């Protein structure tokens, strides 16, 4: 398991727990994390009415996307430095 995979799983668990702390059910929390991280765009399961809920969702988006990119990069061997125009 790569560092990116571990970071991704930790992000998912923290995100589910975070939404549960906002009073959502486990299924609602899991569904919200999936549609948020993977950018499906179905809309929120429950309205995000407070600033902490909105900020937490921003964190989930950034952390989940970053973890997915890190995991992809590690698994594929893709090296961004190879394509850098400046030496």
């Amino acid at each position: 398991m790569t560092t990116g995979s571990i970071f991704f799983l930790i992000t998912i668990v923290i995100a589910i727990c975070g939404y549960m702390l906002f009073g959502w059910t486990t299924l609602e929390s899991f569904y919200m994390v999936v549609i948020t991280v993977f950018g499906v765009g179905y809309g929120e399961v429950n309205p995000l009415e407070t600033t902490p809920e909105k900020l937490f969702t921003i964190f989930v988006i950034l952390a989940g996307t970053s973890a997915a990119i890190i995991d992809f990069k590690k698994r594929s061997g893709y090296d961004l430095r190879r394509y850098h125009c400046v030496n």
Side-chain angles (χ1 to χ4, degrees), residues 3-69:
T3 306
S5 297
I6 293 168
F7 182 51
F8 187 73
L9 290 174
I10 290 170
T11 300
I12 299 298
V13 170
I14 289 172
I16 291 170
C17 292
Y19 285 117
M20 289 176 71
L21 289 174
F22 290 127
W24 298 17
T25 67
T26 304
L27 181 59
E28 290 173 337
S29 300
F30 179 72
Y31 182 75
M32 180 65 174
V33 170
V34 168
I35 65 173
T36 300
V37 170
F38 292 102
V40 176
Y42 287 143
E44 288 82 23
V45 177
N46 294 317
L48 300 174
E49 296 173 346
T50 67
T51 299
E53 289 173 330
K54 293 174 184 176
L55 291 174
F56 183 74
T57 301
I58 291 169
F59 163 78
V60 171
I61 293 167
L62 294 174
T65 304
S66 298
I69 290 170

Side-chain angles (χ1 to χ4, degrees), residues 55-83:
L55 291 174
F56 183 74
T57 301
I58 291 169
F59 163 78
V60 171
I61 293 167
L62 294 174
T65 304
S66 298
I69 290 170
I70 291 167
D71 187 47
F72 172 76
K73 182 178 176 258
K74 296 244 182 208
R75 288 180 186 270
S76 69
Y78 186 77
D79 188 3
L80 290 174
R81 292 173 292 185
R82 212 169 89 184
Y83 300 99

